[in-house]
Amino acid sequence: MDRIAQLQTFLAQTPKDNFVRHALALEYIKAGNDVAARVLFEELLADSPDYTGSYYHLGKLYERSHLTDLAIACYEKGMAAAKQAGEKHAYNELQSAYEDLVY
């Protein structure tokens, strides 16, 4: 069973598992399926806006899709969530991506 199929099986058993949704979205990106990855990341962050690790990857996906305004908003929201959670590494990563895009 390939990794995507495995993760889909896990997700069917625990549909709101953020780790599994995040991992599956990353596998979709590796496979070139940005549409499926975007759906998963957006659903994950709608349900759990404090899951800071997904903001960076969703922002980069928006950038690749030439959706600059959405990428900027995603990075800003992620920075706010990371700051509130005290996650300095996530905040710095998001800030760097934001500044690379904006400046």
Side-chain angles (χ1 to χ4, degrees), residues 16-54:
K16 296 295 182 178
D17 185 313
N18 291 334
F19 178 81
V20 174
R21 290 195 283 181
H22 181 87
L24 181 55
L26 292 177
E27 290 299 320
Y28 282 140
I29 287 172
K30 287 181 192 175
N33 189 347
D34 282 354
V35 172
R38 178 180 174 177
V39 168
L40 273 175
F41 279 135
E42 288 176 345
E43 288 175 352
L44 187 163
L45 291 172
D47 292 341
S48 300
D50 60 338
Y51 202 80
T52 58
S54 292

Side-chain angles (χ1 to χ4, degrees), residues 7-96:
L7 290 166
Q8 288 172 330
T9 299
F10 294 149
L11 191 59
Q13 295 166 357
T14 55
K16 296 295 182 178
D17 185 313
N18 291 334
F19 178 81
V20 174
R21 290 195 283 181
H22 181 87
L24 181 55
L26 292 177
E27 290 299 320
Y28 282 140
I29 287 172
K30 287 181 192 175
N33 189 347
D34 282 354
V35 172
R38 178 180 174 177
V39 168
L40 273 175
F41 279 135
E42 288 176 345
E43 288 175 352
L44 187 163
L45 291 172
D47 292 341
S48 300
D50 60 338
Y51 202 80
T52 58
S54 292
Y55 287 102
Y56 177 85
H57 296 287
L58 180 57
K60 287 296 180 184
L61 191 152
Y62 287 147
E63 283 188 57
R64 283 193 307 280
S65 301
H66 306 287
L67 300 169
T68 304
D69 291 342
L70 287 177
I72 290 169
C74 184
Y75 293 141
E76 289 172 339
K77 190 171 180 181
M79 284 187 291
K83 187 173 185 177
Q84 183 176 8
E87 295 180 17
K88 292 180 183 182
H89 177 76
Y91 180 88
N92 290 337
E93 190 174 55
L94 289 160
Q95 183 181 32
S96 178

